[in-house]
Amino acid sequence: MNWSTDIMLALPEVILLASACALLVIDTFSKDSGRNITYGLAQLILIVAASVAIYLYTGETSYAFGKTFVSDPMSTMLKVVVCIISLIVFLYSHEYLKKHEWMQGEYFVLGLFAVLGMMVMISAYSLLTVYLGLELLSLSLYAMVAMRKESQAASEAAMKYFVLGSMASGMLLYGISILYGVTGTLELNQLSHMLAVQTEQNILLVFGLVFIIVGIAFKLGAVPFHMWIPDVYQGAPTAVTLFISSAPKIAAFAMAIRLLVDGMQPLLIDWQQMLVILAILSMAAGNIIAISQTNLKRMLAYSTIAHVGFLLLGILSGTEAGYAAAMFYVITYALMSAGAFGVIILLSRKGFESDNLNDIKGLSDKSPWFAFIMLILMFSMTGVPPFLGFWAKWFVLKEIVDMGYVWLAALAVVFAIIGAYYYLRIVKLMYFDKAENMTAIKASRQMRLALSINGLALLVIGLMPGFLMTLCLAALIK
Amino acid sequence: MQHTGYIMTDNMGTIYLWIVLAPLIGSIIAGLFGKTVGRSGAHWVTIIGVGISCILSLIAYKHIMFDGGEIYNATVYTWLVSGELRLEAGFLVDKLSVTMMVVVTFVSWMIHIYTIGYMHDDPGYQRFFSYMSLFTFSMLMLVMSNNFLQLFFGWEAVGLVSYLLIGFWYKRESAIFASLKAFLVNRVGDFGFLLGVAAVFMCFNTLDYSEVFRQAPGLAETTVTIFNGHEWSLMTVICICLFIGAMGKSAQFPLHVWLPDSMEGPTPISALIHAATMVTAGIFMVARMSPLYELSETALNFVLIIGAITAFFMGLLGLVQNDIKRVVAYSTLSQLGYMTVALGASAYAAAIFHLVTHAFFKALLFLAAGSVIIAMHHEQDMRKMGGLYKYMPITWFTCLIGALALIGFPGFSGFFSKDAIIEAVHASTLPAAGVAYYAVLTGVFITALYSFRLFFMTFHGKERMDRHTWEHLHETPAVVTVPLVVLAIPSLMIGAWFIGPMLFEGYFGDAIVVASQHGVLAGMGQNYHGVVSFTLHAFQQPPVYLAFAGIVVAWFLYIKFPALPEKFANIFKPVHQFLLWKYGLDDLNQFVFAGGTRNIGRLLWQIGDVKIIDGVLVDGSALAVRWFSGVVRQVQTGYLYHYAFSMIIGLLLLLAIFVHKLI
C-alpha cells in the first residue's frame, strides 16, 4: 500500500483537517474582536480545499486507505458544491454575527469541521467511513445549535437534536452491524457483490436495510423522522439554521447514494418501495403543515421536508439519470435555501430576528430589489418556469414517469400545487400588504451583492439548465 | 436539387444577432425606463434600434443576394434538450427570410418616424414606442427562425403585441372589445397551428426546419388515423393544421372577423401590424413550409378556396364602409386573399412578391389615411370629408400612388404582383383553380371601385366637413409626410424592378420548393420577355380593363352623380343591408359562439363552479387542507419523547410492512 498516493487522493480532507485545527488555535489567540481574521481564513480554507479537489480531478475512480475511501467524479463534484455553498453560508453568517454583535470564531471552526464530515461522507466507501463522516458532521452541528448559550430556545433545540440524532445514529449503526453480520464485509462494492449472489430473500437483510433507511431519512429529514427539523430550524440562531439547511443536505444525498446505490443496488426493489412511502409522506406533510405556519423559519423547515420528498423521488427511480436528477434537485435546493435564509438575515437587525411572516410585509416598498430577489426564490421553490426550481422538479418528474411511476408523479404535482400556496403567500405579503414598520435595511455591500448573485443565479442557470445537468450526469454516469 | 452548404460565417452570425437584439434593447429601454429617458428619449432609442436593424438587414440582403453569401443556419441558444426534444433558438437566413427582414425593418422604421407626429399628444407615448419595437423584435424572430418552436414563439409574441396595441387606448370600450376579439379569434387559429407543430414533432421527432424538410418526401405517403376508420394523409393533416394558424393570423375567412375591428388601434399600428407585416406572417409561414405543402394537393386546394372566398367577399364589404380606415382594412383582407390564392396555386414566389409590394403600398395607404385623420381632428367618416386635395397636396398625391398601386394600374408595383397571381391561378391545374380564377378576376374590379370610392370621397367632390375643422385644415408635419414620400417610391417602382428576378429567375433559390407538376410560374417564365412586354401583354387580358372600369364607375358614382349610390342602396336594400351586416358573421360569432360559450360558461359557473368547484373543491379543499394542517401541526408537540416515539413508530411500521411481507 502506498501511503503517499492515498494521502494525495484525500488531500482536500487533509488540508481541511489540518487548517481547521490550526484555525482553532489562531482564533483562541486572536485579539481581533470582529473575528475578521478567523472569517477570512475560513473562507480561504474552503477555497483552497475546493481548488485542490478540482485540481486532483482525473475523471477516474480510485480508492484509498484499504478501499475505505473513494475519489470519483461524484465525490469531486459534490465536494466542490459543498465548499461553494458553505462559502455563501459563511458570508451570510458573518453578516448575521456582526449584526447581532455575537461574534464567535467557533462558528467558523465548527463549520469547517462539519464540512470535513460532509466530505468524508461524500467520499466514504465503507460502512464505517460513512458513519465516521456522519458523526463528525452531526457533532459539529449539535455544538453549533447550542452555541448561543444564553438562548433557551437554542439550548432546547440542541438537546432535542442531540437526543434524536443519537437515536438515529444508533439505528444506522445497528443496521450496519446486521449487514456486516450477514455478509461479513464493510466495503460497499463487496457488499453489493455479496448481496447480488444471495439467491433467496434474506429477512435479516431487509431488517438491516430498514434501519439504514431510518438513518438516511433522519439525516435528510423525511417524514416520519423529521420531527427535529421544525424545532431545530426555529430554535437555532438563523446563521446556524442557514448552515444546517443547506450543505448537509448535499452530504445526506451523497450518503444515500453511497449506501443504497453503491452498496445495496441488489436490494433496489426493497428500498425503492420504502422510499416511495417516505417520499409521499414527506411531500404531503411538508406542504400541508407549512400552510399553517406563522414563523418564516418554521415554514421553511416544512418546505425543506417537502423538498426532501421530491429529492427521494429522484433516488427511488433507480436509474443513473434519476440519481443525476436528484443531485440537480439537491444542489438547486441548497442554493434556494441559502438564499431564503439569506433574505431573513438581511432583514434582521440587533434584537430583531425578522423571522415572522408579518415581518416581510411590504418589503417591495422598503427594498424593491430584494423583494424581487425573494420573489425569484419563492417562484423557484414553487417550481415556476423558467427558474431553476422548475427544472429540478421537471427532471425528477420526468425520470419517475419514464420509470412508469405516473401516479407518483401526479401525486407529487398535486402536493407541489398545495405548496405553491404558502410560497406565493410570501410574494403577496411582500407586494400587496403594507409594511408594519419602515425601518430601512442595513446590510454590508458584500452581503447585498452575494444575495443578489444568489437570487439571480436561479434565474440565469434556469435559462440554461443544460449546463448544470450535464455536470450532474457526468458525475453519476459510469 | 442542389443544396447549398450550411456553413456558419461568424461575423454574419453577429450581424444577424444584432438585427434581432437592437429593437429588443430599444423596446426594453423605452418600456421599462420610459420615465427616465422621457418622451424624446423613448422615440430616439427605438428609432435608432430599428434603424440599426434595418441597415444591418440591408447589409445581410446584399450579402446573400448579390455577394453570393452562404445561407446561414445555426442555433444561437439552447434552452433545454430533453430526449428528442430540443428547445432552442436559431436563425435560418436565406433568400426568403432576408427579403422579409428588409421589408419588416424598413416599414417598421418608417412607421416609427411617422408615429412621432401621429402620437404627438398621447400620454402613452413611451409605451407605444416600446410596443412597436417589441413587435419588430418578435416579427424578426418569427421570420428568421430555423425551427418550429421559435416560429411558434414569434407567432404568439406578435399576437400578444397586436393585442396590446389594438387595446392601446384601454379606456375606450370599443378598443377593449376589439382587442379581446382579436385575441380570441387568434386563439382558435393558434390552436390549429399548435396541433400542426405537435404533429410535426410527433412524426418527424425534430422541430428543425431543414431536418423536417429533408424527411418530408419520405413520409409523403404516410397516413394517420384521427377518427376511427378514417385514414388521412399525414401531410394533409399537418398542412391544414398549420394553415388554420395562418387563417387566424392572416385573417382568412372565416377567422377574418378580428381584422376590421382592429382598426380601433392607433393608425401607425394598423399600418405596421395589420397591413404590412404581422398579417402576412401566415403567408410567409406557408411559403416557408412549401416543401410540405407541395406534398398535399388536398391542402393546396383548401388553401385556394379559402383564399378565393376571402379575396372576393371581403372586397365586396369594402364597398359599403364609410370609415376611411375600415375601407383600407377590408382591402387588406381582400389582398391577403390574393396572396393565399397564390399560395394555393403553388405560386409561392408570386405570393411573397405581392406580400412585399402590398407591404409598401398598404402601409402608404394607411399612413395617408392617418394623415387625413390627423388633419380632420380624428374624424374618420368619409361622408364628412371631400375636397381635401387643395389643402393636403402631398397626402393627396402619395395616396393616389398608393391607390393606383393597389388596384394594379399598369406600371405600378401592385400591377405586376397581382397580374402574376391572376396568371398563375389561370395556369394552375388544381380542381379549385377554376373558381378561384373568377374570384380574383372580379376582385380586380371591386378593388378599383372601393379604392377610388375612398379616394374621391376623401379628396374630391364637395367639402362636407364642419366649419371648425375646415378652418384648421392644413398639410400634416414633415414627420408624417416624409415617410409617406419614402413609402411612395417603392410603391411605384418595386414591382417593375423585382418581377423578373423574383418570379422567374430563381430569386428564392432553395428556400421555396415547387413540385414539377405545380410549376405554374415556371410555365409563365417561358413566356416572360421583360417588364415592357409583360405590361403590353397585360393589355390583352381582362384585369387591366376591369381596373379601368372600376375607376370610371367610381368617378361616375361619387363625382359625377353623387346622389346615385344612395338610390342604388335603396333599390338593392336587402343586398346593401346584407353587406353592412358583414354576411352576419359577426353576429354569428357574437351570439352563437361568444354567447353560446358564455351561456354554457354561466351554466357551468353556477352549477359546476360556484357550487361544486368553489363550494366544495376550492373552498372546501382549502378549508380542509387548512383544517388538516392545523390539526397535524398539533402532532409537533414540542415534547422530546413524542418525537422519539414517532421515530420508533415509523421504524416499526417500516419493519412491519417490509419484513412482514417476507415471513
Side-chain angles (χ1 to χ4, degrees):
Chain A
M1 186 174 293
N2 188 341
W3 277 95
S4 67
T5 48
D6 281 5
I7 296 282
M8 277 309 283
L9 282 178
L11 199 56
E13 283 85 351
V14 173
I15 292 175
L16 200 56
L17 175 62
S19 47
C21 290
L23 188 64
L24 186 58
V25 179
I26 295 172
D27 184 58
T28 314
F29 291 100
S30 163
K31 292 202 172 59
D32 174 18
S33 62
R35 297 289 155 207
N36 287 323
I37 296 173
T38 317
Y39 164 69
L41 283 175
Q43 295 288 51
L44 183 70
I45 292 166
L46 284 176
I47 293 170
V48 170
S51 314
V52 170
I54 295 171
Y55 178 73
L56 292 177
Y57 177 72
T58 55
E60 286 163 16
T61 306
S62 342
Y63 306 96
F65 307 117
K67 278 196 125 182
T68 56
F69 186 94
V70 65
S71 167
D72 58 2
M74 180 179 110
S75 72
T76 311
M77 165 93 180
L78 288 182
K79 278 178 201 172
V80 172
V81 173
V82 161
C83 284
I84 294 173
I85 297 284
S86 305
L87 196 86
I88 301 171
V89 165
F90 280 9
L91 197 151
Y92 295 165
S93 302
H94 186 237
E95 180 80 13
Y96 179 86
L97 300 182
K98 263 197 316 199
K99 272 188 175 179
H100 294 263
E101 294 171 18
W102 174 58
M103 195 47 83
Q104 276 181 296
E106 290 95 322
Y107 178 90
F108 301 109
V109 178
L110 285 169
L112 286 182
F113 280 120
V115 172
L116 177 63
M118 293 181 222
M119 286 193 168
V120 172
M121 278 164 86
I122 289 168
S123 266
Y125 208 64
S126 144
L127 294 174
L128 271 185
T129 331
V130 173
Y131 184 72
L132 181 74
L134 178 65
E135 281 306 282
L136 181 52
L137 168 64
S138 304
L139 288 171
S140 312
L141 292 183
Y142 302 148
M144 282 170 93
V145 175
M147 243 169 63
R148 193 158 205 183
K149 294 174 211 89
E150 75 279 8
S151 159
Q152 213 172 359
S155 307
E156 186 189 326
M159 201 59 207
K160 284 177 182 165
Y161 190 19
F162 177 64
V163 172
L164 297 174
S166 311
M167 263 179 73
S169 289
M171 289 180 188
L172 179 70
L173 207 50
Y174 187 55
I176 289 177
S177 66
I178 292 174
L179 282 184
Y180 180 68
V182 177
T183 60
T185 178
L186 286 170
E187 189 215 304
L188 293 177
N189 196 26
Q190 219 170 349
L191 177 66
S192 183
H193 280 299
M194 298 295 285
L195 294 178
V197 294
Q198 298 273 339
T199 44
E200 55 187 284
Q201 277 275 4
N202 190 330
I203 293 176
L204 260 183
L205 280 179
V206 177
F207 194 75
L209 176 64
V210 168
F211 280 90
I212 289 193
I213 290 281
V214 171
I216 296 172
F218 178 84
K219 198 65 225 162
L220 281 170
V223 179
F225 310 101
H226 67 288
M227 293 296 203
W228 62 277
I229 289 196
D231 288 15
V232 171
Y233 273 39
Q234 192 181 1
T238 309
V240 177
T241 312
L242 162 71
F243 189 58
I244 296 179
S245 76
S246 49
K249 296 291 180 233
I250 296 174
F253 162 77
M255 175 167 101
I257 294 290
R258 290 289 179 222
L259 288 175
L260 298 180
V261 180
D262 288 352
M264 287 186 278
Q265 185 77 13
L267 296 182
L268 173 70
I269 306 279
D270 294 295
W271 57 255
Q272 204 170 30
Q273 287 171 355
M274 296 179 197
L275 293 189
V276 168
I277 297 175
L278 296 180
I280 295 175
L281 287 177
S282 303
M283 288 187 295
N287 280 319
I288 291 175
I289 304 180
I291 289 176
S292 59
Q293 302 304 322
T294 52
N295 181 290
L296 194 52
K297 278 159 78 180
R298 209 171 171 85
M299 192 201 91
L300 287 172
Y302 283 104
S303 139
T304 302
I305 295 168
H307 283 301
V308 163
F310 254 95
L311 170 65
L312 290 175
L313 291 182
I315 300 178
L316 70 83
S317 70
T319 60
E320 281 171 346
Y323 308 144
M327 187 192 267
F328 189 98
Y329 201 100
V330 78
I331 294 172
T332 305
Y333 161 76
L335 267 178
M336 296 189 300
S337 182
F341 283 106
V343 170
I344 298 180
I345 290 179
L346 178 90
L347 300 181
S348 73
R349 53 183 181 272
K350 183 161 171 56
F352 175 64
E353 287 286 341
S354 180
D355 59 355
N356 275 315
L357 283 183
N358 286 341
D359 298 335
I360 206 158
K361 274 186 185 169
L363 181 58
S364 74
D365 293 333
K366 270 192 270 187
S367 166
W369 176 248
F370 286 105
F372 175 67
I373 294 290
M374 190 65 173
L375 173 114
I376 293 182
L377 288 163
M378 289 299 122
F379 274 12
S380 182
M381 285 199 180
T382 316
V384 177
F387 300 104
L388 192 54
F390 163 73
W391 295 110
K393 286 196 166 60
W394 159 265
F395 286 130
V396 166
L397 290 175
K398 181 170 161 288
E399 288 310 321
I400 57 168
V401 168
D402 283 354
M403 290 306 291
Y405 285 107
V406 178
W407 64 272
L408 191 53
L411 203 59
V413 171
V414 169
F415 287 126
I417 292 170
I418 294 178
Y421 171 77
Y422 59 90
Y423 294 126
L424 297 184
R425 184 173 57 187
I426 300 274
V427 175
K428 179 232 165 205
L429 289 175
M430 289 191 305
Y431 281 91
F432 299 106
D433 286 14
K434 278 267 160 283
E436 285 175 356
N437 67 68
M438 286 297 284
T439 320
I441 295 169
K442 267 168 71 179
S444 66
R445 185 176 296 163
Q446 63 261 37
M447 176 74 191
R448 288 169 186 268
L449 188 67
L451 196 55
S452 306
I453 294 173
N454 191 169
L456 291 179
L458 295 172
L459 178 59
V460 173
I461 307 177
L463 288 175
M464 38 194 109
F467 173 68
L468 183 55
M469 195 61 199
T470 314
L471 283 180
C472 290
L473 282 169
L476 276 159
I477 288 182
K478 292 183 174 122
Chain B
M1 191 177 27
Q2 183 201 336
H3 269 280
T4 321
Y6 290 144
I7 297 169
M8 178 165 156
T9 32
D10 259 331
N11 52 350
M12 287 315 286
T14 319
I15 287 183
Y16 299 141
L17 198 59
W18 278 104
I19 289 177
V20 174
L21 289 183
L24 180 64
I25 294 170
S27 165
I28 290 174
I29 294 177
L32 297 185
F33 307 99
K35 272 186 201 155
T36 325
V37 296
R39 292 166 83 89
S40 63
H43 72 234
W44 275 115
V45 74
T46 48
I47 287 172
I48 290 172
V50 177
I52 290 173
S53 188
C54 181
I55 290 164
L56 291 178
S57 296
L58 286 170
I59 293 173
Y61 187 80
K62 177 171 173 293
H63 175 73
I64 295 220
M65 286 296 176
F66 302 119
D67 303 347
E70 296 281 358
I71 289 170
Y72 179 92
N73 184 6
T75 301
V76 288
Y77 167 60
T78 303
W79 191 33
L80 166 76
V81 179
S82 166
E84 298 284 335
L85 182 63
R86 298 180 68 85
L87 305 185
E88 49 192 21
F91 297 143
L92 167 60
V93 183
D94 60 2
K95 295 177 173 179
L96 177 60
S97 40
V98 84
T99 308
M100 288 297 287
M101 281 151 63
V102 170
V103 173
V104 168
T105 51
F106 179 73
V107 175
S108 171
W109 198 18
M110 287 306 115
I111 291 171
H112 269 79
I113 295 171
Y114 176 90
T115 302
I116 300 175
Y118 192 87
M119 300 298 283
H120 191 262
D121 305 317
D122 201 279
Y125 195 74
Q126 288 98 319
R127 184 162 58 100
F128 192 78
F129 276 98
S130 171
Y131 286 168
M132 286 224 297
S133 276
L134 185 63
F135 169 78
T136 313
F137 161 75
S138 316
M139 191 70 197
L140 286 169
M141 286 295 276
L142 192 161
V143 299
M144 290 170 73
S145 164
N146 74 346
N147 62 71
F148 283 89
L149 183 83
Q150 189 184 334
L151 176 73
F152 184 70
F153 165 80
W155 197 264
E156 292 296 314
V158 290
L160 168 73
V161 185
S162 153
Y163 162 77
L164 290 173
L165 281 167
I166 296 171
F168 183 77
W169 286 313
Y170 53 84
K171 286 178 185 155
R172 266 193 213 171
E173 196 130 339
S174 56
I176 297 300
F177 178 81
S179 68
L180 198 58
K181 187 169 175 183
F183 193 75
L184 290 176
V185 173
N186 269 300
R187 296 257 52 81
V188 177
D190 291 349
F191 186 65
F193 188 68
L194 196 55
L195 283 178
V197 174
V200 166
F201 182 70
M202 191 179 84
C203 302
F204 293 88
N205 251 333
T206 174
L207 289 173
D208 187 68
Y209 287 164
S210 52
E211 186 56 28
V212 169
F213 296 158
R214 198 179 59 72
Q215 290 180 19
L219 291 170
E221 304 302 321
T222 319
T223 53
V224 288
T225 309
I226 297 179
F227 304 108
N228 276 342
H230 279 280
E231 290 281 310
W232 292 73
S233 153
L234 171 67
M235 283 304 151
T236 305
V237 172
I238 291 179
C239 290
I240 289 185
C241 280
L242 290 176
F243 184 65
I244 290 173
M247 283 161 67
K249 194 79 31 195
S250 290
Q252 297 296 299
F253 176 87
L255 298 182
H256 65 277
V257 288
W258 64 272
L259 188 62
D261 286 14
S262 76
M263 297 301 132
E264 287 298 333
T267 303
I269 288 319
S270 310
L272 176 63
I273 299 188
H274 304 119
T277 54
M278 185 190 84
V279 289
T280 59
I283 311 296
F284 164 80
M285 189 271 291
V286 175
R288 176 54 94 202
M289 300 302 150
S290 60
L292 302 182
Y293 279 85
E294 282 305 297
L295 298 173
S296 168
E297 293 219 341
T298 319
L300 286 176
N301 275 310
F302 182 70
V303 173
L304 253 179
I305 291 182
I306 294 291
I309 293 175
T310 313
F312 180 73
F313 287 100
M314 295 305 123
L316 278 182
L317 292 185
L319 292 174
V320 298
Q321 296 296 323
N322 289 317
D323 181 319
I324 183 166
K325 275 178 74 182
R326 279 185 186 252
V327 176
V328 190
Y330 279 106
S331 134
T332 306
L333 282 172
S334 167
Q335 298 306 309
L336 288 167
Y338 274 88
M339 296 175 211
T340 308
V341 165
L343 296 172
S346 290
Y348 303 101
I352 297 294
F353 184 36
H354 196 51
L355 186 163
V356 173
T357 56
H358 176 260
F360 291 116
F361 65 68
K362 190 50 66 70
L364 170 62
L365 277 174
F366 261 117
L367 296 191
S371 174
V372 170
I373 293 170
I374 300 175
M376 297 293 298
H377 294 279
H378 291 267
E379 175 58 71
Q380 307 194 358
D381 193 334
M382 293 192 297
R383 286 170 296 191
K384 295 179 184 160
M385 298 177 188
L388 290 180
Y389 74 96
K390 281 176 283 193
Y391 310 102
M392 313 180 68
I394 303 177
T395 307
W396 170 78
F397 186 66
T398 50
C399 184
L400 178 63
I401 292 177
L404 289 173
L406 169 62
I407 67 167
F409 195 85
F412 287 80
S413 62
F415 161 74
F416 295 100
S417 52
K418 191 181 286 182
D419 229 40
I421 290 176
I422 295 169
E423 286 287 300
V425 180
H426 197 40
S428 172
T429 52
L430 289 177
V435 188
Y437 175 65
Y438 289 106
V440 290
L441 201 58
T442 41
V444 173
F445 173 73
I446 298 166
T447 308
L449 185 55
Y450 66 66
S451 303
F452 274 82
R453 173 176 174 265
L454 176 148
F455 184 72
F456 290 138
M457 280 180 85
T458 310
F459 292 103
H460 295 274
K462 224 175 115 214
E463 296 170 13
R464 298 178 293 269
M465 67 288 290
D466 58 46
R467 193 174 164 74
H468 174 76
T469 315
W470 178 79
E471 279 169 354
H472 290 90
L473 269 181
H474 58 82
E475 185 59 275
T476 41
V479 279
V480 174
T481 52
V482 168
L484 288 180
V485 175
V486 176
L487 283 168
I489 296 167
S491 302
L492 191 60
M493 323 260 274
I494 205 165
W497 267 349
F498 279 95
I499 176 163
M502 214 170 210
L503 296 189
F504 308 122
E505 290 163 18
Y507 173 94
F508 289 113
D510 295 337
I512 285 176
V513 174
V514 181
S516 56
Q517 72 270 26
H518 300 150
V520 287
L521 285 179
M524 286 160 65
Q526 283 162 5
N527 301 323
Y528 178 76
H529 306 292
V531 175
V532 179
S533 78
F534 185 88
T535 315
L536 289 178
H537 177 72
F539 281 96
Q540 301 161 17
Q541 301 284 332
V544 172
Y545 298 102
L546 286 170
F548 288 151
I551 301 177
V552 172
V553 172
W555 175 79
F556 196 73
L557 290 177
Y558 295 95
I559 299 293
K560 188 79 179 156
F561 301 107
L564 270 183
E566 199 148 339
K567 282 185 188 155
F568 278 129
N570 282 330
I571 296 169
F572 299 106
K573 202 169 177 102
V575 180
H576 189 242
Q577 286 300 322
F578 188 56
L579 290 180
L580 277 181
W581 192 42
K582 301 167 201 157
Y583 311 119
L585 280 171
D586 269 351
D587 284 350
L588 182 78
N589 286 329
Q590 195 64 26
F591 293 112
V592 178
F593 291 113
T597 319
R598 269 207 303 271
N599 281 331
I600 295 173
R602 192 171 302 128
L603 201 70
L604 289 176
W605 171 58
Q606 277 165 356
I607 296 173
D609 225 58
V610 175
K611 292 198 180 125
I612 299 174
I613 297 180
D614 264 3
V616 181
L617 290 178
V618 176
D619 288 353
S621 60
L623 277 178
V625 168
R626 204 176 304 155
W627 170 80
F628 187 64
S629 175
V631 171
V632 183
R633 73 180 288 204
Q634 305 300 326
V635 175
Q636 195 83 22
T637 51
Y639 292 117
L640 184 54
Y641 64 93
H642 283 174
Y643 294 0
F645 191 59
S646 111
M647 280 177 68
I648 303 286
I649 297 264
L651 174 75
L652 288 178
L653 278 177
L654 282 180
L655 284 175
I657 296 169
F658 290 97
V659 178
H660 182 73
K661 234 174 27 184
L662 299 173
I663 297 170

